[in-house]
Amino acid sequence: MAKSRRARGSRRHSSVGDRVFDTLNYVFLTLLMVVTLYPFLNTLAVSLNAASDSIKGGIHLWPRQFSGENYRFVFGEATIYNATLISVLRTVIGTIVTVFASAMVAYTISRQEYVLRKVVTVAFIITMYINGGLIPNYLLIRDLGLINSFWVYILPGIIGVFNLIIIRSFIEQLPESVIESARIDGAGDFRTFINIVFPLCLPVLATVALFTAVYQWNSWFDVFLYNSSNVKLSTLQYELQKILQNSNTTSSAETAFANSNSGASIKVSPLSIRATMTIVAAVPMIVVYPFLQKYFVKGMTVGGVKG
């Protein structure tokens, strides 16, 4: 009788503890969501607010004076649409090529029968810590004939060592019996990779694809280094960077003019342009992420078990 009472008491205590844990968990996750979401909503509000009013501050989650002038200014640039196309092509082609090439190399160095797999792995890892520097890298790109070329966005970063390690760790956890059965049926290494390993690696490949796509979409410094003289190969991020620089140089003159003329108003400001650029650059990745989220979570969980 006493034991049954103690059991009921422990269950009751455990139930109360579970409710307290769930409550604290919900509160913490809600606060985390607010902290994460507020900067984006604030930036969106600033981008939709009149620039002359934004410089006063005090904008939180809703525009005080709604205006689309910031977006008209950004998308009014003649080069912005071609730059957007180049960014999309760079992101799509770069992601596909990088993911496929990284997966092939990862499969190769994951095979126990590959004699040089440890040597090759160490050689790749060394490149994560040792770099030739900016000038030797530029000279290499020049000697390869990639200056003023679209492929300078794709080929230099075709293999990412971090992505390589993630994919290799995932492949090493696949059942060896699946690969052995394919070989018994007469499949070679390439056919085994394409028909067996590649489909099984979709979760981790989606994770790597998201990493690569974000990198390709946000890159602008390589455009500045290698293709700044070729407007046709300029990317969206680089054009937005130039717009921000132009707005910084003209804002002081516009502010002085607005202060000396009561009827004048500031159409754009560095603050409003910076907020607009952030939204324009972030929205495509925000749209893509929900479609890859389930693969992203699974790929990071399984692929990160081994180092």
Side-chain angles (χ1 to χ4, degrees):
M1 195 70 173
K3 291 183 178 179
S4 62
R5 290 176 182 174
R6 284 196 298 269
R8 286 196 298 268
S10 62
R11 286 197 298 269
R12 190 181 304 113
H13 178 73
S14 177
S15 178
V16 172
D18 289 343
R19 287 198 295 269
V20 172
F21 174 78
D22 291 341
T23 302
L24 293 178
N25 197 21
Y26 287 137
V27 171
F28 173 75
L29 291 177
T30 302
L31 292 176
L32 183 63
M33 181 190 68
V34 171
V35 171
T36 306
L37 195 59
Y38 175 78
F40 178 79
L41 295 178
N42 176 256
T43 303
L44 180 62
V46 172
S47 70
L48 293 173
N49 197 76
S52 57
D53 182 67
S54 297
I55 59 177
K56 301 176 184 177
I59 299 175
H60 300 290
L61 297 177
W62 195 258
R64 193 163 46 221
Q65 293 183 11
F66 183 84
S67 173
E69 188 62 37
N70 298 320
Y71 289 92
R72 282 193 291 270
F73 178 81
V74 169
F75 289 105
E77 295 292 323
T79 58
I80 203 73
Y81 298 101
N82 182 75
T84 303
L85 176 61
I86 296 297
S87 290
V88 171
L89 291 176
R90 170 182 182 168
T91 302
V92 173
I93 297 175
T95 300
I96 294 175
V97 173
T98 298
V99 169
F100 188 77
S102 298
M104 289 186 66
V105 177
Y107 172 71
T108 302
I109 63 177
S110 69
R111 307 313 307 147
Q112 296 289 338
E113 61 270 20
Y114 180 45
V115 179
L116 299 177
R117 71 187 190 93
K118 291 185 178 180
V119 177
V120 174
T121 302
V122 171
F124 273 115
I125 293 177
I126 289 176
T127 63
M128 296 179 65
Y129 302 99
I130 301 177
N131 192 296
L134 183 61
I135 295 177
N137 188 64
Y138 180 86
L139 295 177
L140 174 63
I141 296 298
R142 185 198 62 184
D143 293 341
L144 291 175
L146 295 178
I147 301 295
N148 289 327
S149 169
F150 174 80
W151 295 106
V152 76
Y153 303 143
I154 311 298
L155 297 181
I158 194 172
I159 299 293
V161 180
F162 179 72
N163 299 334
L164 192 66
I165 294 174
I166 292 178
I167 300 174
R168 186 205 64 181
S169 300
F170 190 95
I171 293 176
E172 288 178 345
Q173 297 176 59
L174 296 177
E176 187 67 23
S177 58
V178 176
I179 299 177
E180 291 297 332
S181 62
R183 291 182 174 178
I184 293 174
D185 291 337
D189 287 328
F190 187 75
R191 185 174 179 182
T192 301
F193 170 74
I194 294 296
N195 294 339
I196 305 297
V197 177
F198 195 85
L200 293 175
C201 290
L202 286 181
V204 72
L205 294 182
T207 303
V208 172
L210 182 61
F211 289 160
T212 306
V214 171
Y215 166 77
Q216 291 284 8
W217 180 260
N218 289 329
S219 293
W220 66 271
F221 190 62
D222 51 357
V223 186
F224 171 73
L225 288 177
Y226 309 123
N227 288 338
S228 57
S229 61
N230 193 340
V231 180
K232 294 182 179 180
L233 293 176
S234 183
T235 62
L236 177 63
Q237 301 292 343
Y238 185 59
E239 291 302 318
L240 293 178
Q241 181 71 15
K242 292 196 297 185
I243 292 174
L244 179 60
Q245 291 178 349
N246 292 336
S247 67
N248 284 328
T249 57
T250 59
S251 60
S252 57
E254 291 180 349
T255 303
F257 182 77
N259 291 335
S260 60
N261 298 272
S262 58
S265 61
I266 304 174
K267 291 185 177 181
V268 295
S269 68
L271 175 64
S272 62
I273 292 302
R274 190 180 301 112
T276 306
M277 287 169 49
T278 302
I279 298 300
V280 171
V283 165
M285 291 296 104
I286 293 175
V287 172
V288 170
Y289 179 76
F291 298 97
L292 299 176
Q293 183 179 9
K294 61 178 181 179
Y295 298 109
F296 178 81
V297 174
K298 184 178 180 182
M300 284 301 296
T301 302
V302 180
V305 174
K306 291 184 180 181

